[in-house]
Amino acid sequence: MYYQLYEMNHAMMAPWRAVADQMRLAYSNPLNPLSHTYFGRSMAAGLEVLERATRRYAKPAFGLDETVIDGKTVSVHEKIVWQRPFCNLIHFERCLPAGHRPDPKILMVAPMSGHYATLLRGTVETLLPDAEIYITDWVDARMVPLSDGAFDLDDFIDYIVQMLHALGPDTHVIAVCQPSVPVLAAVARMEEDGDPLSPSSMTLMGGPIDTRVNPTAVNRLAEERPIDWFRDNVIMPVPWPQPGFMRLVYPGFLQLSGFMSMNLDRHLIAHKEFFAHLVKNDGDAAEKHRDFYDEYLAVMDMTAEFYLQTVETVFMKHALPKGEMMHRGRRVDTTAIRNVALLTVEGENDDISGVGQTKAAQTICTNIPENMRMHYMQPDVGHYGVFNGSRFRREIAPRILSFIATNGRGEKTVPRVVKGGKSASGK
């Protein structure tokens, strides 16, 4: 009944939250003389902290309306190009300048781990000037009716294969965190089947390929308890009146609680500093706090079957690195990957996927030629720094784009001999 109690508590707080918001507006109104006093600013700040602490955060928008290409600002439009009950594939369609050569196609597989795909907004924004970006926009499981069926790890892999088929040849796939395992499995299946639409390259970033390497607190939690404990304690039916009423899920608020408890002191300090910034009228610092927590506190539910299968396969049995992972009754053979280039990226201070866990993909994909593989570890960044922030923009993104450009299967420029014996560039 925890989920129902959570919903009831949220409903009971709604009128108090509304009152707090109205009082905040009153205390911060410049026509109110108290708004110019320390007391008035403190009251407004405290009321905003209360309102935000009890709010349900809706799915954020990507908000990427424009980008810069060839020194020109061009408009960007979101377009759903592929759709299934549990996922929409969004294309960030750019209005390219005349004469601009085609950029590489990138399928960005966002994690299904409690947060929305908008967590990768900064990743998309950084790569958008140089690539056609498609991103998996996973649907909150509590919004999917039971009549639409189940969704597990096998379905996740199927979705990836179907999306690669929809996007066509010479597509590059980037997996951030959790989807590194199903993406690698999908590529292995496609290569084993001789699929001509297998991606040109795959980039795995901060993913739990082999969680036996430098296990983190998240890894140890999964290993300390049997799968039945997770089934009995964290799986709950979606309460009425949500569209997914009675669907068994792993609630997003539980996932969020787990993440926040790992760094509780950091979050408490952040909110204390937020209060101080509001009192001091430090608008820029306060807005940065709002932007981060509007994203971080917006969570979604995962289907029970997907969550349990992922915990058991990835974190308990370590099935992929052992060569024991199954998909639709067939073993996933990573040695079958021969034609897909592999880039693995890690963060030195990653406390979610420890150093070496993603690099393990390089070890189990034994038949990828050496000139088609690369590993990079970014110093001084944690898990989120692997795919977002200044170091990602400055150090990691250029390496990804260079790797993709080097390993594209499209028409490439090659040297040819011309009259006089000199070398020129031709096709």
Side-chain angles (χ1 to χ4, degrees), residues 356-412:
Q357 293 186 9
T358 311
K359 187 180 181 181
Q362 302 283 354
T363 304
I364 62 176
C365 297
T366 56
N367 289 319
I368 299 177
E370 287 299 319
N371 65 334
M372 293 174 58
R373 60 169 75 226
M374 173 182 164
H375 175 72
Y376 177 69
M377 185 184 73
Q378 175 62 48
D380 301 321
V381 301
H383 187 69
Y384 293 100
V386 172
F387 56 87
N388 212 340
S390 60
R391 288 190 176 91
F392 170 77
R393 292 189 295 270
R394 187 173 60 250
E395 302 289 342
I396 299 175
R399 286 178 167 85
I400 294 174
L401 292 169
S402 175
F403 186 82
I404 286 173
T406 302
N407 292 283
R409 293 178 189 164
E411 190 176 15
K412 296 182 180 179

Side-chain angles (χ1 to χ4, degrees), residues 7-8 51 106 134 178 196 225 253 266 279 309 316 339 357:
E7 291 290 304
M8 289 175 59
E51 190 276 329
I106 295 178
Y134 299 79
Q178 168 269 323
R225 295 175 172 83
F253 71 85
R266 187 184 305 172
V279 173
Q309 189 179 355
M316 292 182 174
N339 305 300
Q357 293 186 9

